[in-house]
Amino acid sequence: MHSAQSVLTRAMRVSGMTIIALLLFTVSAGAVQAPAKVPPKAPQRPATRTSTATVKKPAAKSDTDMAWLQDALKDPDFMNAVNHLFERLGKEMRYPALRTQSNVLSRLPENTVFYGAISNFGPQLRQSLDIFHQELQDSAALRSFLQKNHLNDSEPKVEDGVAKFCDFLDYLGDELVITGSLHGKEPNGVLIAEVRKPGLQAFLEKVEQELGAKPTDRLRIFDPQQLQTATDGRELQPVVLIRPDFVLIGTSAATVREFNTQLDKGGPSFASSGLGKRLLQSYQAGTNTVFGVDAHRLMSLIPQDKAQVGMLLEKTGFADAKYAIMDSRLTSERSTTEMELGFTGPRRGVVSWIAAPGQLGALDFVSPKSAIAEVFRLKNPAQIFDDIVEIAGPGSLAMLPQMEAQLNINLKQDLLSKLTGELGFEMTSPPFPADGDKAAQPNFKFILGVSDPVGLQQTFKRLLTQVPLQSGERQEDGVTFNTLTTPSANGTTTEINYFFMDKYMVITTNHELAQDAVRVHRSGESLAKSSQIAAATNGPAKASALVYQNVGSMFASMLKQMPADAVGVLPKFLNSGDSKPNIFLAYADDTTLRATTSTNIPTDASIGLIAAAIAIPNLLRARTSANEAAAAATVRTLNTAEITYATSYPRKGYSPTLAAMGPGPGNDCSGNNANAVHACLLDGEVGNANCTAGKWCEKSGYRFSVRGVCLQTSCRGYVVTATPVNKDTGGKSFCSTTDAVVRSHEGPPLNAPLTAVECKAWKPVM
């Protein structure tokens, strides 16, 4: 449900981000269709010769070519324009008011199994469109960006499409409801909204006419009387029912007719069901977006022949699920979402593993400067172990007694029974790549609640006699720090530290973090005592689970990885110093699991841009390295093909071209089609029939050519040349001759194939 909330938050944010998102996605699509360009000629080098040989023109840029975005992130004028656009969206956007009632919910059928209602964001979408249009008129940088990426024609179409969608939403009420029920075991559903003003049918027909929709793609629009006799054809076209009070959109006339009847029928309704009553509570508290699922009814969809699925649901406790709810409230600053999973009786199985709310003592060892912190209260681990045995069956743990004997412990008695079930985790900074290739050293803490510290320490000492780890102890300020050192083949070591304090065991990835855990615990300067946690929990941290994300700390770590020329344009846009943390809290009682999460919305776009700035150079480097490795491998393949060709056709000697080693026209290598003209030793990509003397074949970002050293009709030697298509697809060129040694040279792409002398001057590839 937490991942669903994340998707939902961004979906609701569409009113503030739609235009720039459409712009960027359009750029991405435009980049693929942009006219390809032949790379400029590189400066003459000793091992490079100019030539009039033609270069095969790429058909289109790859969809992984993100150079346009990389250039945009390095353009101060464009980024300042984006900053200003988002500043206006943040300050001027007014989000829909919370809805406290629904005119649709009480009129739905009692057997409704799914209900989703979102606010009509039409006014906000139109406002964002107006702001974007004003910024585009006033910003030469934005207009230049469109022109540079060949979007001058497509951008107005994007604006027009958004405007038409806003016009459609103007006809609808404040709420759009997507709902479904079960017809036997077949689900059916519709979209329902109140009609705000007349003229919707004429508007839809006009839009279809302007779009030139084919008859088979057009909407089937009915009034209530016409719907009564409407039938469904073989191809299901969207059906629209326009009433004076509601509009219904579905995939079949029968489905829309069924819901239309219920709207007028009255009697027992969805509002009187368990799920309906719970949804009404969300409305009473005020909501922007609410989703609900009747989980108990959905269980009936499980086929009877799927006994194993039913048994698994029964053992895990999910078979008792009653309903699931997700309810969100949105402002320009924050998105708050509440989630609830209700059960028909007391929680059992896996569902019962989450313990009742209590003091989250593990947070007392967590620094308030951490990037991510998580604490979970679980029931006794020994009881969880018993549940796992019951679910998996005793046979799945048949090897456990042998393992316990080898380690000289009893897993349940010596280890699990000595833990309370509270588990904490802290990451002080995200482990982003430090130099584009090598990952930064991770900084983690693990905090375990312990009921018997002395007994657990004895268990650890017995374990250490059986595993190949070097252990040690050090006393500092009354605390015993234990160290475990793992050896490695390359001579480097990893040190794990752990200590016991106040019924907790703290494990860290370095000694400095262990010292920090002791300091924040003793000083009271821990995350547990911070104002952020106090505000989120209304006092001391008491919950069943807590997940904390320090957006400012994450930004700081991410900014360190960005190119220097991109950092300068982002601080105003990020405003990370004022960023509030994202906090997820969960609470469990006998029959319900509840959770609430608060997300800092203005950072969504920031994270995306920063992540792009970090990831794109690394992705380009990774792709370049992959292209280079593939090019070297292809050169080796060409050497093998040349040797095979010379052996098969001794009068011809070596092949003078790639085309001679590839398949003939049509790539037909069956029967006797392999011959000295087209030997079928290479695939049709690198051995294309058009790759004759002086021409190139292209594969995986590289261009390949073979030059024969020939006397009349026989070739006594050859030279293979491989060079990048452009500077973004590779940084090395490769070559080889009859000695079959692959050689390389760093530099810009070559303009012409090499000679044997030029190739042998290059450094061999090891």
Side-chain angles (χ1 to χ4, degrees), residues 614-633:
I614 296 171
I616 289 172
N618 290 325
L619 289 174
L620 292 176
R621 278 193 293 268
R623 187 180 65 176
T624 297
S625 297
N627 288 346
E628 290 173 354

Side-chain angles (χ1 to χ4, degrees), residues 446-468:
F446 296 92
I447 306 105
L448 305 176
V450 181
S451 58
D452 182 3
V454 175
L456 186 59
Q457 177 71 309
Q458 292 174 349
T459 299
F460 266 67
K461 288 182 177 180
R462 292 206 305 272
L463 280 171
L464 290 175
T465 63
Q466 306 296 324
V467 295

Side-chain angles (χ1 to χ4, degrees), residues 710-721:
C710 307
L711 182 63
Q712 295 182 351
T713 60
S714 178
C715 298
R716 55 183 174 81
Y718 68 90
V719 183
V720 175
T721 303

Side-chain angles (χ1 to χ4, degrees), residues 288-343:
N288 286 121
T289 302
V290 61
F291 286 92
V293 175
D294 189 328
H296 188 67
R297 292 194 184 216
L298 286 179
M299 295 297 175
S300 65
L301 295 177
I302 299 175
Q304 295 298 322
D305 59 345
K306 302 292 184 182
Q308 290 183 343
V309 176
M311 185 181 301
L312 182 62
L313 291 172
E314 188 69 27
K315 287 184 176 182
T316 58
F318 284 101
D320 298 336
K322 185 178 181 182
Y323 59 75
I325 296 286
M326 184 167 65
D327 177 14
S328 294
R329 299 169 185 82
L330 183 67
T331 68
S332 59
E333 294 291 331
R334 307 285 290 174
S335 170
T336 301
T337 300
E338 296 180 357
M339 295 159 279
E340 183 175 320
L341 183 59
F343 297 88

Side-chain angles (χ1 to χ4, degrees), residues 423-426 444-448 497 505-509:
L423 172 64
F425 167 78
E426 175 191 359
F444 298 148
K445 290 180 190 173
F446 296 92
I447 306 105
L448 305 176
N497 289 253
M505 177 183 181
V506 180
I507 306 170
T508 66
T509 53

Side-chain angles (χ1 to χ4, degrees), residues 334 360 363 366-371 373 524-542 546-553 576-585 587 596-598 600:
R334 307 285 290 174
L360 302 178
L363 283 179
V366 175
S367 169
K369 297 180 181 179
S370 61
E525 299 175 358
S526 66
L527 183 62
K529 305 298 192 299
S530 67
S531 59
Q532 297 99 320
I533 297 299
T537 59
N538 297 317
K542 290 186 177 181
L546 180 148
V547 177
Y548 170 92
Q549 294 178 341
N550 186 333
V551 180
S553 176
S576 59
D578 298 329
S579 297
K580 296 179 180 179
N582 300 332
I583 298 178
F584 171 89
L585 292 164
Y587 304 88
T596 179
T597 179
S598 181
N600 189 8

Side-chain angles (χ1 to χ4, degrees), residues 341-621:
L341 183 59
F343 297 88
T344 57
R347 294 181 294 119
R348 58 190 179 84
V350 174
V351 175
S352 69
W353 290 1
I354 301 177
Q359 195 75 31
L360 302 178
L363 283 179
D364 284 322
F365 295 91
V366 175
S367 169
K369 297 180 181 179
S370 61
I372 296 176
E374 303 175 356
V375 180
F376 301 91
R377 282 177 54 86
L378 306 177
K379 73 179 186 182
N380 188 284
Q383 295 177 349
I384 293 178
F385 177 79
D386 290 338
D387 289 341
I388 294 175
V389 172
E390 182 179 352
I391 294 171
S396 61
L397 300 177
M399 298 299 295
L400 181 60
Q402 181 179 349
M403 183 192 73
E404 290 179 328
Q406 291 176 345
L407 297 177
N408 192 27
I409 66 165
N410 181 286
L411 178 63
K412 183 176 178 180
Q413 298 300 324
D414 297 335
L415 185 61
L416 299 179
S417 66
K418 302 184 186 309
L419 302 174
T420 65
E422 185 177 353
L423 172 64
F425 167 78
E426 175 191 359
M427 180 172 66
T428 57
S429 60
F432 291 115
D435 56 10
D437 297 315
K438 193 178 295 183
Q441 181 69 26
N443 294 312
F444 298 148
K445 290 180 190 173
F446 296 92
I447 306 105
L448 305 176
V450 181
S451 58
D452 182 3
V454 175
L456 186 59
Q457 177 71 309
Q458 292 174 349
T459 299
F460 266 67
K461 288 182 177 180
R462 292 206 305 272
L463 280 171
L464 290 175
T465 63
Q466 306 296 324
V467 295
L469 296 176
Q470 297 178 358
S471 61
E473 289 184 359
R474 68 179 87 176
Q475 296 286 332
E476 294 180 10
D477 199 16
V479 179
T480 300
F481 292 96
N482 300 273
T483 62
L484 302 176
T485 305
T486 60
S488 64
N490 60 8
T492 61
T493 59
T494 301
E495 182 181 281
I496 302 298
N497 289 253
Y498 71 92
F499 65 90
F500 292 88
M501 179 177 287
D502 294 343
K503 295 284 188 174
Y504 284 93
M505 177 183 181
V506 180
I507 306 170
T508 66
T509 53
N510 58 65
H511 186 60
E512 290 74 19
L513 279 179
Q515 291 175 314
D516 180 69
V518 173
R519 181 188 62 79
V520 298
H521 179 69
R522 286 178 168 175
S523 66
E525 299 175 358
S526 66
L527 183 62
K529 305 298 192 299
S530 67
S531 59
Q532 297 99 320
I533 297 299
T537 59
N538 297 317
K542 290 186 177 181
S544 298
L546 180 148
V547 177
Y548 170 92
Q549 294 178 341
N550 186 333
V551 180
S553 176
M554 295 178 67
F555 278 165
S557 298
M558 296 170 77
L559 286 171
K560 292 178 181 178
Q561 312 306 317
M562 291 185 62
D565 52 359
V567 174
V569 299
L570 290 177
K572 287 192 304 180
F573 178 61
L574 298 178
N575 197 22
S576 59
D578 298 329
S579 297
K580 296 179 180 179
N582 300 332
I583 298 178
F584 171 89
L585 292 164
Y587 304 88
D589 59 29
D590 288 343
T591 60
T592 311
L593 295 176
R594 295 183 178 88
T596 179
T597 179
S598 181
T599 304
N600 189 8
I601 288 181
T603 63
D604 287 351
S606 305
I607 292 175
L609 286 176
I610 294 176
I614 296 171
I616 289 172
N618 290 325
L619 289 174
L620 292 176
R621 278 193 293 268

